[in-house]
Amino acid sequence: FIKWEKTNPQLAPKLSFKNNLVRIGKAPFQIGSSSSEPFYFPPGIEFSNNTLYWDGAGAAPASLVAMFDAAHGSRIVYTSSEWDQAVGAWKAAHPTVK
């Protein structure tokens, strides 16, 4: 969903990826990119409180599971009802955002 410079990671921008709801699963994203690379986040990323809804075939890729885990205060949901609950909670926490 985001492409970064992997051969020279020091060139990647410093990213703050917090409090996001992300939905992934339709091809070509099921394998990470059109070139079959795994999902990748640049080094030094600030990453917390994110929810990923994986609606692809099978389990989410290991590279996503490594980031969307409890250690990062994040999670992966696999059902539309869990996604709807996450969206509802986000909207309740951000009532002025339309």
Side-chain angles (χ1 to χ4, degrees):
F1 51 67
I2 302 171
K3 187 161 180 126
W4 301 108
E5 169 61 47
K6 287 177 64 176
T7 56
N8 294 299
Q10 72 278 8
L11 298 177
K14 298 299 179 201
L15 179 67
S16 179
F17 198 79
K18 298 177 180 180
N19 305 310
N20 296 290
L21 299 173
V22 181
R23 185 175 180 160
I24 302 176
K26 303 289 186 240
F29 302 108
Q30 289 182 358
I31 53 174
S33 74
S34 58
S35 63
S36 300
E37 296 174 4
F39 288 92
Y40 171 78
F41 289 92
I45 186 173
E46 293 180 28
F47 194 97
S48 65
N49 197 34
N50 298 297
T51 298
L52 167 66
Y53 173 35
W54 179 258
D55 66 352
S63 55
L64 284 176
V65 173
M67 291 301 291
F68 288 87
D69 64 4
H72 290 106
S74 299
R75 66 189 179 129
I76 297 176
V77 299
Y78 290 92
T79 68
S80 60
S81 62
E82 289 175 304
W83 172 252
D84 292 342
Q85 289 173 3
V87 170
W90 190 94
K91 286 181 178 180
H94 302 88
T96 60
V97 178
K98 300 286 179 187

